[in-house]
Amino acid sequence: RQGLTGPWGAFVAGLAFSLGWTPCVGPVLGSILALAGSSDTLWQGAGLLAVYCVGLGLPFLILGLAFERVTGYLNRLKPYLKYFEWAAGLLLIVLGILLFFDQLSWLTF
């Protein structure tokens, strides 16, 4: 037995993915919603949300369409995955320190 495949497998994978990414996407989406809500026109707010949706969804759509071709390449990255994790962890620590000391605006300079 191969486990969940087809639409149910995609649903379960999407569910797990959404639960894992909610803390990351939530603050950004909240900020975009605040900007969209304070926009001068409805179309400006809708445009901000549309650009956010395309930016978030397009990479996943491309990966989904090219998954068969990309799988071999992704498997070759496995030995380096720990370095990506370390770099991401270090970045989170730095961002946490900047946020703690109210210096996050330093990144905009």
Side-chain angles (χ1 to χ4, degrees):
R1 185 174 162 196
Q2 293 178 344
L4 290 174
T5 59
W8 285 110
F11 175 76
V12 171
L15 186 64
F17 187 78
S18 69
L19 290 174
W21 269 43
T22 298
C24 300
V25 173
V28 175
L29 178 58
S31 300
I32 298 293
L33 287 170
L35 284 171
S38 65
S39 295
D40 292 334
T41 68
L42 172 73
W43 294 108
Q44 286 177 333
L48 284 172
L49 289 169
V51 169
Y52 172 77
C53 289
V54 169
L56 182 65
L58 193 60
F60 296 110
L61 181 62
I62 291 169
L63 183 63
L65 292 172
F67 192 74
E68 291 292 325
R69 285 192 209 156
V70 176
T71 303
Y73 177 72
L74 292 176
N75 284 334
R76 285 187 284 176
L77 291 178
K78 280 185 183 178
Y80 307 105
L81 190 57
K82 66 180 175 183
Y83 301 114
F84 288 115
E85 291 172 355
W86 291 346
L90 182 62
L91 179 63
L92 283 174
I93 290 169
V94 170
L95 287 174
I97 291 169
L98 289 173
L99 185 63
F100 181 78
F101 289 108
D102 197 25
Q103 297 295 315
L104 202 56
S105 62
W106 177 79
L107 292 175
T108 60
F109 294 119

